[in-house]
Amino acid sequence: MNSKFLRRAASLAVSGLMITSLMAGCNNESKNPDKTADPTQPPVSTDAGQSAKKPEDFTGTLVVGHFNDDEASKLVAAFKEKYPNVDVKLEITADTDGAYQTLITSALRSGQNVPDVYASEVAFVKRFVNLSDGYEDLTPYFEGDLKSKLVPYTIDIGTSDDGKIRALSHQAAAAAVGYKRDMAKQYLGTDDPEEIGKLFSSADEIVKTGKKLQEVSGKKAILFPGMAELMRMYLGARDHAWVEDGKLTIDPKMEEFVDVAKQLRDAGAEGGLPAWEPQWSAAITDDIHFAYAIPTWGVPWIIDANQPEDRKNKGDWGLAKAPAPYTWGGTWFGMYSKSPNKELAWEFIKFITLDEEQSIAWAKKSGDFISNLAAIETLSNDPEMVSETTNQNPYEFFGPMIKDINGAIITEHDDKITNAFQDAMLTYLAGNTTKDQMWAQFKDQVRSDLGDKVTVE
Amino acid sequence: MFKSLSKNDKYAHYGYLFILPFFIVMAIFIVYPILNTIYLSFTVWEGATIPPEWVGLKNYRRLFQDFLQGGIFPQSIKNTWILWIFNVIPQFIGALALAILLTDKHNRIKGKEGFRAIFYLPNLITMASVGALFAFLLGHPKGAVNDLLVAFNILKEPFNFLQNAWATRLSISTILTWMWFGYTMIIFMAGIKAIPEELFEAARVDGATKWQTFKSITLPQLRPIMTYQVVTSIIGGLSMYDIPQVLTNGTGAPQNSVTTMVMHIYRQGFTNYNLGYASAVAIGLFVHIFIVVFIALRFINPKEDV
Amino acid sequence: MGKKGAFRLSIGDILLYIFLIGLAVICFLPFYFMIINATHDNAAIARGMNLLPGKYAIDNYLKMKSRVNIWIGFRNSLIVSGVGTALLAYFGTLTAYGFSKYKFVGNKALFWVILCSMMVPPQLSVIGFYDVVQKLKLMNNLLALIIPMIASAQFVYFVKLYLDSALPDSIVESARIDGATEIGIFNKMVLPIASPSIATMGMFNFINSWNQLLIPQIVIRDEKLRTVPIIVANAKGVYRTDFAAAYMAIALSVVPILIAFAFFSKYIIGGVTAGSVKG
């Protein structure tokens, strides 16, 4: 045997294996993104207070920065249909390891190459909103009270600490409990959203339900796939933010959560699967894990995305009310404070948020839950909006609770503090620390991360 | 014969000329950023539009305090060393043994080229992909490794690898060894191939055993390569970042047991936007690495220079 | 041991083979899993370890393709890593030769400067690097990725080491006596002699630069200039649920490196055609 042959064979084998694997399957499925036709001439129903300029009159180039290609390209396409003479350049950088944030921060620092409009996710929007020279104050651009036009908590989040509105969101990421109807019928006797909602209405009820599922199913059915599901719900139920008056504040609800989480884990009612990992995604389709924290975008992106084709849109999921209305996720848009294209930038932001026509069209096309209050009202009565996955109209379901979501409890340090909390909790739930140690570890981490901005006692 | 290449070498200026392009590029793209980091270490800065604010030694004082109080910085030093030691020792021993095996003309192992190629494969994948792959394999309660262990009845229940400090550490060290031993082996093979054949012949004629040959010929002759490998391994090991970062999603879980020094720097700098403090930690790390390399060099090369 | 027959293997040999082959399998296994996973759908991937190829290869490829264009990535990465490594091979060796054979004042000190530059972790240098690239107006330009590749301290260190033992002063001397220019000596004599070390370090450098993510991500904004790691990072989708597409991207991204490796492998030290170094 020639050693040179072996070496060649090694490399060829790998490449060959790949090629044969590629040819091993002949799955001719193709995915067609649906494209609904927009009305040919949308009426000029823009927000009041602007000059009588028509969309076609706007010209120039707009640079839009985003981290989500799917969302961004569709939004830009919709914008370009209405504003045909505006050239839009889209710059996408995924936020892996915070690369998008670093990019925008670096650009802001140097004052060059900053997109005219750039997006922020809820995890870091507050930081950019509070950054001087980050997002421009939008007050001069609109008239009236935005909170009567857009879901209020989204305005709160987009408001900087000095009270100026700087970023708006085209979505409202209200969230609830998503549950599997089959398992509900089998183990709890009903799949009615109202009834299920009662089972999640308080800490005691939740623990009771978790234990009941285990009993009735012979230890098979697990209430939540992971700890984060209930955590998100509790975060929304707080009255106090993580940081108040510069001090780390632990809302009593979070203390309650720690106990509930431990009870659930010990009773076998929580599966220990980290969110977004393959196993967590796969648990969507199994008959073991019962309920997920599902925000408005969760129906297409958590449930639908993880179901095989033959299980999609069968109405086998339901949405029930969580103990308190909470929010998870969302994307905000603002304009660069030194952008030379502020007029155009405002048109874009206005279009995706305040334009009722666009909001309705966007909701139907993308499955997103929009933040335009008038549109929400209209859609909650629109039978077309009943989701095939849940057999419920999300606008009808979320509409009433959306104004109750508390946007004031979101701070710019939330992401870090919640992560520190989660880390400490995971170790505690695994049984490796006591509750006191858990709190100590949490505080130490927050102190290390934010020590000079937040006092930790 | 060497007189013409002495200190008064009339060709010396060519030396400057030849190294110039490298130094120009290095000065612009490497030295300037380093000087920038040093400057930042004396400031408080959030990395954005407000310029850095000079605070003198405040960051270094905080670093020192953290060090004394047993905070995350000394913990990260300990973690980095643990991860490195448990990786470098098996890696060097294994790589050296394999290098000797695969360069020895007198054993009858066939397919040496093939083995060398295959052993290097792990070095080709990005650290991020490797981290993601192993996070998947070590999953709890379901993951490939756990599934295997339970199926073969080695364990009754799946083991929560990533919630156990030492399991996580040893897993990372093992992954690192797996990734780098092929590379190290090739470097050693380069060094062994450079040893004149006559020395080995002479040893065989004198009837030396394999171990004696190794100790008296191979090892001393390998000194320059070994120095190179030790230095680069120290630097790489103490700057370890990618694998533990991806495996634990940046958290260093559980309980910061695998937070390395660079992870700490990254977290302070890019997650918490304490760029001044992060820079101070980075300079602290540099000093640490420098001292270790210096000691190592003195140990391996007591008289010669690098 | 020591039997003369070509077909007689001792127990020691057999054990050795078992060990070597076992090790080879361990090295290859994760590649195997990656490739296998790239041919399955998300549900199968999450279910656990799959041992045989699935039927979703084409499907995953199309999914990945609809989200990212990996072929542009190949082109860009090839340009960056290829040109960068070539430049490094020339100027890096030139530098190594300069340090090795020319006894100029500050030789040792400057070499220590190079070593020290390796000791500062690169993560924070990103900030200064960004500023430099901006000032040089090289933002969004592949040159910003190529030019810095010349300054690889590791390359220079290794090649210098190699030249110290492989290139006797006498050769240089006699070439000078023959009337060769300094740069001529370098081009015609030093480069060929150093080629095994250049190939070895060049290959490492090529692969390393191919896998770089941090710097390209902040410097490259234009979709058409993305390198492979950026594309792989984007392939998972923002909601990070499309593991199948991600595996397909990763699996594909490894192929060019494998090809480069197979190519370079011949020339690196210890390779079949490269002569071993005279002491």
Side-chain angles (χ1 to χ4, degrees):
Chain A
M1 275 228 285
N2 194 335
S3 59
K4 194 166 156 183
F5 165 78
L6 253 187
R7 185 176 36 84
R8 279 275 152 77
S11 321
L12 278 176
V14 176
S15 317
L17 189 60
M18 288 202 44
I19 298 178
T20 39
S21 305
L22 285 172
M23 297 204 278
C26 284
N27 197 322
N28 283 326
E29 226 196 351
S30 60
K31 291 197 189 319
N32 284 321
D34 49 358
K35 278 193 162 77
T36 51
D38 272 333
T40 39
Q41 264 297 12
V44 185
S45 59
T46 52
D47 201 26
Q50 294 307 105
S51 57
K53 231 174 146 176
K54 299 220 184 89
E56 309 83 72
D57 296 337
F58 285 95
T59 60
T61 311
L62 188 68
V63 180
V64 176
H66 205 313
F67 46 87
N68 181 346
D69 202 4
D70 290 327
E71 177 177 279
S73 44
K74 293 196 187 116
L75 280 174
V76 166
F79 178 72
K80 288 223 278 230
E81 281 207 38
K82 187 159 180 194
Y83 291 76
N85 294 320
V86 177
D87 183 28
V88 180
K89 280 205 187 21
L90 194 52
E91 288 181 356
I92 309 278
T93 306
D95 199 29
T96 20
D97 292 332
Y100 173 79
Q101 297 174 58
T102 307
L103 192 87
I104 298 285
T105 309
S106 308
L108 285 174
R109 183 180 80 240
S110 67
Q112 292 178 26
N113 300 109
V114 186
D116 300 306
V117 173
Y118 56 98
S120 287
E121 227 216 338
V122 70
F124 50 90
V125 64
K126 266 284 194 218
R127 175 176 166 262
F128 280 118
V129 153
N130 281 330
L131 215 55
S132 66
D133 291 338
Y135 279 131
E136 172 80 335
D137 179 12
L138 296 175
T139 322
Y141 291 91
F142 61 85
E143 270 184 13
D145 179 20
L146 276 184
K147 284 197 182 176
S148 65
K149 305 205 172 80
L150 297 177
V151 176
Y153 89 87
T154 66
I155 312 264
D156 281 332
I157 291 185
T159 307
S160 53
D161 289 347
D162 60 358
K164 305 265 192 314
I165 301 178
R166 295 180 190 268
L168 298 177
S169 178
H170 62 297
Q171 317 164 301
V177 179
Y179 62 94
K180 297 177 185 170
R181 289 186 185 261
D182 290 337
M183 285 180 72
K185 280 189 272 220
Q186 186 177 2
Y187 300 121
L188 301 169
T190 167
D191 72 338
D192 176 54
E194 290 283 330
E195 294 298 313
I196 302 287
K198 292 203 189 113
L199 297 176
F200 284 98
S201 56
S202 75
D204 288 334
E205 284 297 320
I206 294 175
V207 176
K208 231 170 64 178
T209 313
K211 288 191 177 149
K212 180 163 177 200
L213 276 176
Q214 279 273 297
E215 260 178 59
V216 174
S217 68
K219 288 201 177 282
K220 178 178 169 198
I222 303 181
L223 184 62
F224 292 120
M227 171 205 90
E229 320 296 319
L230 193 59
M231 182 182 78
R232 290 187 231 280
M233 299 182 201
Y234 263 89
L235 284 172
R238 294 175 298 160
D239 292 317
H240 299 281
W242 275 122
V243 179
E244 279 181 351
D245 299 323
K247 261 179 31 181
L248 177 68
T249 318
I250 301 177
D251 191 291
K253 280 286 175 192
M254 296 319 289
E255 293 177 336
E256 185 182 302
F257 168 70
V258 174
D259 290 330
V260 175
K262 186 70 165 150
Q263 286 178 52
L264 286 177
R265 172 71 71 96
D266 288 343
E270 185 252 293
L273 300 177
W276 303 116
E277 296 293 314
Q279 297 98 327
W280 178 88
S281 306
I284 291 274
T285 49
D286 69 17
D287 53 355
I288 300 175
H289 299 90
F290 178 61
Y292 277 72
I294 298 288
T296 52
W297 49 267
V299 174
W301 290 109
I302 299 181
I303 303 181
D304 286 348
N306 287 314
Q307 280 184 326
E309 284 311 304
D310 56 351
R311 293 270 301 270
K312 275 209 224 276
N313 301 333
K314 292 276 194 294
D316 49 1
W317 279 75
L319 290 175
K321 289 215 181 83
Y326 70 105
T327 169
W328 179 21
T331 307
W332 276 253
F333 289 84
M335 69 168 94
Y336 177 41
S337 60
K338 300 206 174 90
S339 159
N341 287 322
K342 290 197 187 144
E343 206 194 2
L344 272 181
W346 171 246
E347 289 301 310
F348 183 81
I349 298 176
K350 183 180 69 173
F351 172 72
I352 60 180
T353 56
L354 294 167
D355 184 333
E356 190 183 334
E357 284 271 340
Q358 154 64 9
S359 288
I360 295 182
W362 177 253
K364 296 197 176 182
K365 180 160 47 178
S366 70
D368 237 357
F369 192 101
I370 67 283
S371 62
N372 186 305
L373 286 175
I376 293 178
E377 189 60 43
T378 313
L379 288 173
S380 55
N381 296 320
D382 186 341
E384 225 183 276
M385 294 315 290
V386 175
S387 155
E388 287 182 332
T389 310
T390 60
N391 268 339
Q392 290 161 283
N393 182 334
Y395 291 91
E396 206 186 324
F397 177 78
F398 284 112
M401 69 166 82
I402 213 150
K403 299 213 179 108
D404 296 327
I405 299 179
N406 190 347
I409 53 175
I410 313 274
T411 74
E412 92 182 55
H413 306 297
D414 274 10
D415 208 40
K416 296 177 203 118
I417 299 181
T418 310
N419 283 340
F421 179 72
Q422 197 165 359
D423 286 343
M425 278 301 289
L426 285 174
T427 311
Y428 169 60
L429 291 178
N432 294 335
T433 46
T434 67
K435 196 158 80 160
D436 289 332
Q437 286 172 325
M438 190 277 298
W439 284 116
Q441 181 186 337
F442 167 63
K443 289 183 184 165
D444 280 341
Q445 187 66 54
V446 176
R447 208 174 284 123
S448 161
D449 287 340
L450 296 168
D452 44 358
K453 300 184 188 103
V454 173
T455 337
V456 181
E457 266 137 40
Chain B
M1 171 166 132
F2 289 92
K3 239 186 283 179
S4 52
L5 289 174
S6 67
K7 265 235 157 53
N8 298 324
D9 184 5
K10 60 180 164 145
Y11 294 99
H13 57 283
Y14 276 99
Y16 290 122
L17 205 61
F18 285 172
I19 68 174
L20 195 60
F22 180 91
F23 270 92
I24 292 180
V25 175
M26 189 174 98
I28 299 177
F29 291 102
I30 298 185
V31 175
Y32 170 74
I34 292 179
L35 292 176
N36 186 249
T37 305
I38 296 179
Y39 160 68
L40 285 178
S41 70
F42 294 107
T43 69
V44 162
W45 191 43
E46 292 203 0
T49 44
I50 306 179
E53 182 198 328
W54 186 269
V55 289
L57 291 174
K58 175 169 164 198
N59 292 322
Y60 287 101
R61 248 179 272 137
R62 175 174 165 194
L63 190 63
F64 202 57
Q65 257 182 348
D66 193 59
F67 189 75
L68 291 178
Q69 282 170 352
I72 299 196
F73 180 58
Q75 175 72 25
S76 70
I77 300 180
K78 177 173 153 200
N79 293 336
T80 314
W81 273 90
I82 291 179
L83 290 179
W84 183 59
I85 293 288
F86 280 96
N87 157 33
V88 79
I89 295 182
Q91 189 195 126
F92 269 49
I93 296 180
L96 196 53
L98 284 170
I100 293 177
L101 196 64
L102 294 183
T103 52
D104 188 352
K105 292 205 213 351
H106 299 290
N107 64 31
R108 280 190 314 231
I109 306 286
K110 303 277 188 209
K112 292 202 182 68
E113 294 295 322
F115 280 120
R116 187 185 69 182
I118 296 190
F119 292 156
Y120 182 63
L121 280 183
N123 203 239
L124 296 182
I125 335 180
T126 64
M127 304 256 213
S129 307
V130 171
L133 190 64
F134 278 90
F136 176 69
L137 291 176
L138 293 172
H140 170 88
K142 279 169 61 66
V145 175
N146 270 323
D147 288 346
L148 268 177
L149 290 176
V150 170
F152 283 124
N153 261 321
I154 304 180
L155 288 182
K156 280 214 203 61
E157 287 187 335
F159 180 64
N160 202 342
F161 285 99
L162 297 176
Q163 273 297 329
N164 180 306
W166 275 102
T168 314
R169 286 171 173 159
L170 291 179
S171 303
I172 295 181
S173 293
T174 309
I175 297 173
L176 288 170
T177 307
W178 172 81
M179 268 194 86
W180 288 99
F181 86 95
Y183 166 86
T184 310
M185 182 189 77
I186 293 183
I187 300 282
F188 283 147
M189 284 171 78
I192 294 178
K193 284 265 174 165
I195 302 176
E197 192 57 31
E198 301 91 67
L199 292 177
F200 285 123
E201 272 306 308
R204 267 172 46 113
V205 162
D206 285 348
T209 66
K210 284 215 155 79
W211 177 251
Q212 283 172 323
T213 314
F214 174 71
K215 222 174 69 151
S216 321
I217 299 183
T218 318
L219 220 42
Q221 287 285 322
L222 273 183
R223 179 166 290 156
I225 285 278
M226 184 63 81
T227 312
Y228 166 82
Q229 193 54 34
V230 167
V231 169
T232 50
S233 181
I234 291 176
I235 296 178
L238 295 181
S239 314
M240 177 48 51
Y241 168 72
D242 294 272
I243 301 274
Q245 170 82 5
V246 176
L247 198 65
T248 64
N249 234 338
T251 59
Q255 297 168 281
N256 277 318
S257 58
V258 297
T259 305
T260 63
M261 288 186 270
V262 176
M263 279 172 72
H264 184 54
I265 293 174
Y266 192 87
R267 192 186 179 118
Q268 287 297 334
F270 292 110
T271 311
N272 302 332
Y273 294 102
N274 294 329
L275 281 161
Y277 182 62
S279 300
V281 181
I283 300 298
L285 176 58
F286 164 71
V287 169
H288 183 74
I289 295 181
F290 184 85
I291 294 179
V292 177
V293 167
F294 195 76
I295 294 178
L297 282 179
R298 281 281 157 270
F299 189 69
I300 303 182
N301 281 335
K303 280 172 235 137
E304 303 163 26
D305 63 352
V306 167
Chain C
M1 299 249 254
K3 292 204 193 319
K4 286 284 173 71
F7 299 106
R8 301 277 221 118
L9 290 175
S10 67
I11 300 290
D13 283 350
I14 294 183
L15 283 179
L16 215 47
Y17 268 115
I18 293 181
F19 170 69
L20 287 175
I21 294 179
L23 200 54
V25 167
I26 295 181
C27 287
F28 188 67
L29 217 50
F31 276 87
Y32 182 73
F33 280 138
M34 232 167 44
I35 298 173
I36 294 290
N37 270 344
T39 63
H40 283 283
D41 62 340
N42 286 319
I45 292 179
R47 251 198 307 274
M49 221 165 39
N50 303 296
L51 292 174
L52 298 169
K55 297 207 202 336
Y56 287 85
I58 309 273
D59 202 31
N60 289 342
Y61 175 74
L62 290 174
K63 255 204 283 189
M64 179 201 77
K65 186 126 200 333
S66 71
R67 197 173 281 132
V68 293
N69 184 352
I70 201 166
W71 300 100
I72 288 248
F74 281 149
R75 187 199 75 167
N76 292 323
S77 281
L78 205 58
I79 296 176
V80 171
S81 299
V83 175
T85 305
L87 287 177
L88 172 65
Y90 191 78
F91 289 106
T93 312
L94 193 61
T95 313
Y97 177 56
F99 275 110
S100 178
K101 290 304 164 212
Y102 292 89
K103 301 194 180 15
F104 51 89
V105 170
N107 183 317
K108 197 162 161 215
L110 283 174
F111 196 72
W112 266 95
V113 168
I114 294 184
L115 273 193
C116 286
S117 77
M118 282 168 73
M119 298 182 201
V120 182
Q123 281 76 8
L124 285 180
S125 298
V126 158
I127 302 175
F129 186 88
Y130 183 90
D131 287 345
V132 165
V133 168
Q134 263 232 331
K135 290 212 179 67
L136 292 176
K137 302 226 192 309
L138 285 177
M139 280 300 289
N140 230 351
N141 189 329
L142 289 182
L143 280 178
L145 302 177
I146 296 178
I147 301 180
M149 280 180 70
I150 297 178
S152 164
Q154 205 178 5
F155 182 94
V156 168
Y157 188 177
F158 186 76
V159 174
K160 170 181 176 296
L161 209 67
Y162 188 82
L163 285 177
D164 281 345
S165 70
L167 189 69
D169 292 342
S170 48
I171 296 190
V172 180
E173 259 308 295
S174 47
R176 282 183 184 147
I177 293 175
D178 286 345
T181 61
E182 293 304 297
I183 196 71
I185 296 178
F186 176 73
N187 288 331
K188 298 207 185 66
M189 239 175 38
V190 180
L191 278 180
I193 290 184
S195 59
S197 68
I198 298 179
T200 310
M201 267 305 146
M203 179 183 77
F204 291 149
N205 226 282
F206 182 90
I207 292 169
N208 198 39
S209 70
W210 185 277
N211 287 336
Q212 274 288 315
L213 179 59
L214 185 60
I215 304 256
Q217 242 180 347
I218 61 162
V219 163
I220 302 293
R221 314 269 208 106
D222 193 344
E223 229 178 59
K224 299 194 223 29
L225 291 179
R226 288 187 186 153
T227 58
V228 170
I230 300 181
I231 297 211
V232 171
N234 286 348
K236 257 203 264 189
V238 171
Y239 293 100
R240 295 178 270 154
T241 48
D242 208 341
F243 303 101
Y247 274 112
M248 172 59 73
I250 297 175
L252 282 181
S253 70
V254 169
V255 172
I257 313 185
L258 284 173
I259 297 177
F261 174 61
F263 171 72
F264 275 105
S265 191
K266 213 173 14 166
Y267 301 101
I268 70 178
I269 296 180
V272 169
T273 58
S276 34
V277 177
K278 192 178 81 65

